[in-house]
Amino acid sequence: NAGVTQTPKFRVLKTGQSMTLLCAQDMNHEYMYWYRQDPGMGLRLIHYSVGEGTTAKGEVPDGYNVSRLKKQNFLLGLESAAPSQTSVYFCASSEQGAAYGYTFGSGTRLTVV
Amino acid sequence: LAKTTQPISMDSYEGQEVNITCSHNNIATNDYITWYQQFPSQGPRFIIQGYKTKVTNEVASLFIPADRKSSTLSLPRVSLSDTAVYYCLVGTLNTGFQKLVFGTGTRLLVSP
């Protein structure tokens, strides 16, 4: 049982490039989330999904897009990367809404130069 | 969403008991208190959750007084591997989405 798997684990992008981060969960969870964490700070919610085919904006959605075409996958896209998007990105899933235990992936460290 | 306040950092030694207190003065009737642990270069990990009085599992205990305006995470006999950031969060268990808000957490450093 893998839980939540994020790919890739590391990536360096040039300003203006695009990329997609993949999150996959094998727990049949309804809810999935993308967070970013900057040095010395807590996690901030970028986008979330309450079920297959649905997405919604979190606290810091600008510059990102998401898709949930399959229940087990949640994709985070950066259309035109900026240095301000250098961060560690965490995906999470949960069986129900917030307050039930989230399961987090191990993160993707993204550097935009 | 109830805002939480916890110490920025704490230091301890191996074998000691560590108590991290979280203040949540505006907690709502339906809110539960949840604690997460985050090791460097890893995602947060669920530790414990409670509503009132005391909850204990194999990792920690959670003490919640009657007024529920604060809670204390207790880690018995810490080891070096307990060095991590600990987050206190408050949220409802009602169905339907409600985002969890992660503050900066408490950075616990355990020394030999």
Side-chain angles (χ1 to χ4, degrees), chain B residues 51-85:
Chain B
Y51 183 80
K52 62 180 180 180
T53 64
K54 177 183 176 182
V55 179
T56 297
N57 61 24
E58 65 278 6
V59 177
S61 294
L62 179 60
F63 298 92
I64 306 167
D67 66 6
R68 304 201 326 122
K69 293 183 182 299
S70 66
S71 59
T72 299
L73 175 72
S74 180
L75 305 172
R77 302 179 61 81
V78 294
S79 64
L80 297 178
S81 63
D82 291 315
T83 292
V85 178

Side-chain angles (χ1 to χ4, degrees), chain B residues 80-102:
Chain B
L80 297 178
S81 63
D82 291 315
T83 292
V85 178
Y86 294 82
Y87 298 97
C88 165
L89 302 98
V90 172
T92 182
L93 282 181
N94 292 337
T95 56
F97 178 78
Q98 185 186 86
K99 66 181 182 183
L100 285 182
V101 178
F102 286 81

Side-chain angles (χ1 to χ4, degrees), chain B residues 10-16 18 77-84 108-112:
Chain B
M10 296 182 67
D11 295 321
S12 183
Y13 294 96
E14 282 189 294
Q16 290 188 333
V18 171
R77 302 179 61 81
V78 294
S79 64
L80 297 178
S81 63
D82 291 315
T83 292
L108 173 65
L109 175 62
V110 181
S111 301

Side-chain angles (χ1 to χ4, degrees), chain A residues 5-100:
Chain A
T5 303
Q6 293 183 231
T7 53
K9 296 189 183 306
F10 303 94
R11 185 72 185 267
V12 178
L13 283 180
K14 294 183 178 180
T15 298
Q17 287 185 320
S18 63
M19 78 162 295
T20 300
L21 282 66
L22 172 63
C23 177
Q25 53 97 0
D26 60 3
M27 298 168 286
N28 201 35
H29 284 172
E30 287 292 336
Y31 294 78
M32 297 188 75
Y33 320 84
W34 276 107
Y35 285 86
R36 63 175 288 175
Q37 185 173 36
D38 299 311
M41 298 181 66
L43 287 79
R44 292 185 291 171
L45 182 64
I46 305 171
H47 285 281
Y48 63 94
S49 169
V50 300
E52 180 178 321
T54 74
T55 64
K57 295 180 180 180
E59 301 173 70
V60 289
D62 294 342
Y64 306 94
N65 57 75
V66 289
S67 63
R68 183 101 180 266
L69 299 179
K70 294 183 179 180
K71 185 177 183 179
Q72 63 268 33
N73 296 335
F74 196 29
L75 279 63
L76 177 71
L78 286 74
E79 291 185 349
S80 179
S84 61
Q85 294 178 303
T86 293
S87 188
V88 180
Y89 292 85
F90 289 102
C91 175
S93 70
S94 65
E95 183 174 345
Q96 295 190 39
Y100 279 94

